[in-house]
Amino acid sequence: MPETSNNRKNYTSNADLQDIADRLRRGERITITTHVKPDGDAIGSSIALARTLDLLGKETTVVYHGPWPHRFDEYTEDVNIIHHSDDAHLPAADLVVITDTGAISQLQKLENYLKANREKVIIIDHHRHGSDIADVRYIEPEAPAVCEPMAELCRLLLQQPLLPVEVATPLFIGIAMDTGWFRFNSVRPQTMHLAADLIEAGVDHSLVYRTIEQGDDLPRLELMRRALDSLELLNNNASALMVLRSSDIEEAGAHPDDTSGLIDVPQTVAAIRLVCLVVELKTGKTKISLRSKPGDHPDDPFVNVDLLAGHFGGGGHVHAAGAKVDKPVDEVLPELRALLDNPADFTGLHRQPQSRLEAST
């Protein structure tokens, strides 16, 4: 369900992190949840907050919906977690914290609950678009990962600058994964300062990378081969399109989560500025993932994939976005292919500040 333009305009903070910390201290039973099919930033932020609240003696539960990426198992073993695939159950709670999303389209299983309990709901997010589903919101779209403001919230709750390693590690995972291991231009100076603080707290960044990014099995390699076999170049080789059918995933012996990261492979080619991965879902719907590169120079144009995804009812960030379309792949592809071949309507200029001084003027 696409967000309305009114929701997009009104999706801003109405509280600061100190307000939220004070509110959480007053609660006793706190439930934390995030978007369906959680990624590293969603998992890292929710686990870090849960462990922080546990240290304060709160009764904390984390609820995840949809497929679970098992590469995170060893980083979540000590947390009280409920996994749901179909129902919308949330345990009784004084407060509900939603992290890394505020879009009802990513929380549809909870829509009725959220409407009936919005006074209990707190959103902590870094996306530019969301829904009016919570009385309390902290939205920081400049943050490359929601784990950045979450780290500050954890510090405020624990009242200490150096976080315990069990809190620091999931925060590092979330920041690293949402920035492409600090490759994306969304990284800002405070991102690197925070990463250094988390390593100082005891995070083994080398081990984290090996377990998260180098733990694939052979079916995922086969899925990568199939994705590359489908690769089509458009727009004078500046756009790349890959398509995976549900039969590809099944025949490879892979899991739908194994498609994660495949979109990054064509970006290793200098000429390719825009990449799209289309995945056919078993439900008959079509999942679109989009990535674009920033310009090589501050005034170079680029494709704003948040706008491109919005054309299909989705959204996200300027250089990373996606959509889920309620149509079969073969109905979506002609229009998508045409837009990838001529993305001029979705280009923009985004001059990055060269210094903190310039950013403040």
Side-chain angles (χ1 to χ4, degrees):
M1 177 169 53
E3 309 308 325
T4 67
S5 59
N6 187 54
N7 282 340
R8 285 175 172 238
K9 291 177 182 177
N10 295 331
Y11 193 64
T12 56
S13 297
N14 62 7
D16 62 27
L17 291 173
Q18 186 63 64
D19 295 332
I20 292 173
D22 293 342
R23 191 177 178 98
L24 289 172
R25 283 197 191 94
R26 293 194 294 269
E28 291 300 325
R29 297 177 300 171
I30 300 170
T31 294
I32 305 165
T33 192
T34 185
H35 54 78
V36 68
K37 197 177 180 182
D39 59 6
D41 197 25
I43 294 169
S45 56
S46 53
I47 295 298
L49 180 58
R51 286 181 174 152
T52 297
L53 294 170
D54 286 344
L55 289 171
L56 297 178
K58 306 299 181 182
E59 183 181 329
T60 309
T61 304
V62 183
V63 178
Y64 295 117
H65 291 89
W68 171 256
H70 289 286
R71 56 182 166 169
F72 295 103
D73 284 349
E74 66 180 281
Y75 294 103
T76 61
E77 290 174 346
D78 62 320
V79 178
N80 181 27
I81 295 175
I82 298 174
H83 291 281
H84 287 309
S85 56
D86 296 315
D87 62 50
H89 172 70
L90 284 181
D94 302 319
L95 295 169
V96 175
V97 180
I98 300 172
T99 182
D100 199 36
T101 189
I104 198 65
S105 58
Q106 295 184 317
L107 298 160
Q108 282 185 338
K109 296 179 186 297
L110 300 175
E111 183 172 5
N112 292 334
Y113 175 91
L114 295 174
K115 285 180 177 178
N117 294 276
R118 62 169 293 141
E119 74 282 354
K120 297 181 179 180
V121 180
I122 300 168
I123 290 176
I124 304 170
D125 194 14
H126 72 127
H127 295 93
R128 296 183 182 278
H129 314 308
S131 307
D132 184 19
I133 55 174
D135 273 4
V136 178
R137 296 184 306 273
Y138 180 83
I139 315 299
E140 189 175 338
E142 298 79 17
V146 77
C147 277
E148 266 200 32
M150 188 61 75
E152 181 59 25
L153 178 60
C154 292
R155 285 169 169 165
L156 290 170
L157 285 165
L158 295 175
Q159 299 181 328
Q160 59 187 65
L162 197 63
L163 294 168
V165 66
E166 64 270 23
V167 174
T169 297
L171 290 170
F172 185 90
I173 290 172
I175 295 168
M177 295 192 72
D178 243 31
T179 60
W181 297 88
F182 307 98
R183 292 181 293 114
F184 299 161
N185 79 325
S186 58
V187 172
R188 50 189 184 168
Q190 52 263 57
T191 309
M192 304 305 287
H193 291 310
L194 175 55
D197 289 343
L198 298 175
I199 292 172
E200 184 180 357
V203 174
D204 187 338
H205 60 94
S206 178
L207 176 62
V208 166
Y209 183 82
R210 291 197 305 274
T211 55
I212 296 295
E213 296 294 340
Q214 296 181 327
D216 292 342
D217 52 20
L218 289 175
R220 186 173 186 278
L221 188 62
E222 169 62 15
L223 204 59
M224 184 185 297
R225 183 190 68 78
R226 289 170 180 252
L228 291 174
D229 280 347
S230 76
L231 189 141
E232 179 181 355
L233 294 175
L234 302 161
N235 191 26
N236 295 318
N237 299 333
S239 299
L241 170 65
M242 299 185 294
V243 180
L244 284 172
R245 306 280 178 168
S246 58
S247 59
D248 288 318
I249 298 173
E250 185 174 349
E251 290 168 9
H255 187 275
D257 183 57
D258 290 328
T259 62
S260 175
L262 298 182
I263 196 171
D264 297 326
V265 178
Q267 293 190 91
T268 61
V269 177
I272 296 175
R273 314 300 298 180
L274 171 64
V275 183
C276 178
L277 174 64
V278 174
V279 179
E280 180 186 41
L281 304 177
K282 282 189 173 182
T283 59
K285 296 181 180 181
T286 301
K287 179 185 175 185
I288 300 171
S289 299
L290 296 158
R291 300 290 185 271
S292 69
K293 293 177 181 176
D296 293 332
H297 304 286
D299 294 320
D300 285 349
F302 63 88
V303 178
N304 183 336
V305 293
D306 177 40
L307 297 178
L308 181 52
H311 182 82
F312 294 94
H317 302 286
V318 170
H319 294 293
K324 190 177 289 185
V325 186
D326 195 12
K327 292 181 181 179
V329 165
D330 292 322
E331 289 186 21
V332 174
L333 280 175
E335 181 180 13
L336 180 59
R337 188 177 282 113
L339 294 174
L340 294 173
D341 200 33
N342 183 17
D345 289 343
F346 307 101
T347 56
L349 292 172
H350 182 59
R351 180 171 174 81
Q352 296 288 342
Q354 300 302 304
S355 67
R356 293 185 183 184
L357 178 60
E358 181 181 335
S360 65
T361 58

